[in-house]
Amino acid sequence: MSPGDDQGYSDYMETGHTRTRLPETDPYGGAPRRPNRSSSRSLVTVVGVVVLLIAAIAFANRGGDSSSDDASAKTDKPASSMTSASGTRPVDSRTAGVPTGFAHTEQGAQSAASNYAVALGSTGMFNKDSRHTLLQLLYTPEAAVRLQNTMDQAYSTDFLATMGLDAAGNAPKGNTFVSRVIPVGTTVRQYSADSAKVAVWYVGLIGMAGSTSTDPVTSSWKTWTFDLRWSDGDWRIDSETQQDGPAPVPGDDKAATSDEISKAIEEYGGFTYAR
């Protein structure tokens, strides 16, 4: 939940060969959608970069050479182990509901980045008290001091209102506000004993599910890159950036109703992510 971001979330771009099937009835009760979602999405993107604080990103190449003849091929293709799960449990402890106490290793840094993205992309960022708790927990002391006022300004009452929330970050009665980050994978761009740069590729969900909502829950694909520092016995965020994509072509899926989305959010919990 770095300030930033939805997670900044953005709408899908239209393509000439992709069909999107909507339900026979308006999933959000027939209420007209806002004529222009780009402004609110752009604002959410700013919050994701500046507060939570976002061209395709090339994945780091760690493939080894087996001979001089195929050296160039090896450097162009990542080793298969880069995308395989380790199967190692990341942590056994939590602080304020967030996994903490990651290993002082490259794998530990990747696990930390994944779980921090989930926390910084949650609804907790829209409440001042929980946002401050996350800031103190996930960022280095210097970054926390530097970002707190910026975060509070970004998550202003006016911004919350554009998301359909009250000043405390609460959704209207009968509605469910959705903000989630679901990591798809991670890669290490740089690593040393006391610092790491880890990119997290994720799909984000954001919007309001409810019969009166004019801002339905939508999905977007982002890459969130964290500069981590080993501080006080754990990996902590020193800075971060986000960028769009890489995004797959949208499938021919039928959009769920607001009730179905609300029920899914209540029934399906998240995970502790491990590299």
Side-chain angles (χ1 to χ4, degrees):
M1 306 189 155
S2 118
D5 132 261
D6 240 6
Q7 41 169 117
Y9 299 105
S10 61
D11 294 329
Y12 286 128
M13 296 180 63
E14 295 182 359
T15 65
H17 303 287
T18 300
R19 293 177 297 127
T20 300
R21 296 170 52 204
L22 297 175
E24 295 179 1
T25 58
D26 189 331
Y28 291 83
R33 293 184 64 175
R34 285 196 299 244
N36 186 349
R37 291 173 55 82
S38 63
S39 61
S40 65
R41 292 301 176 213
S42 296
L43 181 55
V44 176
T45 299
V46 172
V47 173
V49 174
V50 177
V51 186
L52 289 176
L53 224 195
I54 230 186
I57 294 182
F59 286 92
N61 187 327
R62 293 187 295 173
D65 295 341
S66 59
S67 70
S68 58
D69 293 336
D70 62 358
S72 60
K74 290 290 186 178
T75 55
D76 289 338
K77 296 182 179 180
S80 60
S81 60
M82 288 183 64
T83 58
S84 60
S86 67
T88 301
R89 182 178 179 84
V91 291
D92 295 317
S93 59
R94 285 176 174 264
T95 304
V98 179
T100 55
F102 293 92
H104 192 179
T105 63
E106 187 172 321
Q107 179 179 304
Q110 292 183 76
S111 296
S114 297
N115 289 284
Y116 294 172
V118 171
L120 293 173
S122 73
T123 56
M125 285 299 292
F126 295 81
N127 173 271
K128 185 175 182 179
D129 291 339
S130 61
R131 182 170 65 249
H132 287 182
T133 296
L134 288 169
L135 180 64
Q136 298 298 324
L137 177 64
L138 304 183
Y139 287 83
T140 61
E142 298 83 358
V145 170
R146 183 178 72 247
L147 293 173
Q148 181 164 303
N149 288 338
T150 303
M151 285 187 175
D152 290 344
Q153 291 172 12
Y155 286 99
S156 65
T157 300
D158 289 342
F159 170 71
L160 295 176
T162 65
M163 304 303 297
L165 305 171
D166 65 18
N170 299 313
K173 185 177 181 180
N175 291 266
T176 301
F177 178 60
V178 180
S179 181
R180 284 197 183 188
V181 159
I182 305 95
V184 177
T186 63
T187 188
V188 175
R189 304 209 182 281
Q190 296 176 12
Y191 183 80
S192 67
D194 296 318
S195 66
K197 181 185 288 289
V198 180
V200 180
W201 181 33
Y202 73 87
V203 59
L205 304 177
I206 192 168
M208 188 76 72
S211 59
T212 61
S213 172
T214 59
D215 190 17
V217 179
T218 59
S219 61
S220 62
W221 291 82
K222 304 284 183 182
T223 298
W224 205 338
T225 302
F226 294 94
D227 287 305
L228 302 174
R229 179 150 50 95
W230 186 256
S231 174
D232 195 24
D234 207 349
W235 290 107
R236 295 179 184 272
I237 304 168
D238 199 35
S239 64
E240 88 267 22
T241 59
Q242 289 199 51
Q243 67 182 61
D244 295 334
V249 176
D252 189 21
D253 299 318
K254 180 180 179 180
T257 65
S258 61
D259 286 343
E260 290 172 330
I261 292 293
S262 296
K263 184 178 180 181
I265 291 298
E266 293 173 357
E267 290 184 347
Y268 294 92
F271 300 95
T272 298
Y273 290 86
R275 181 66 174 93

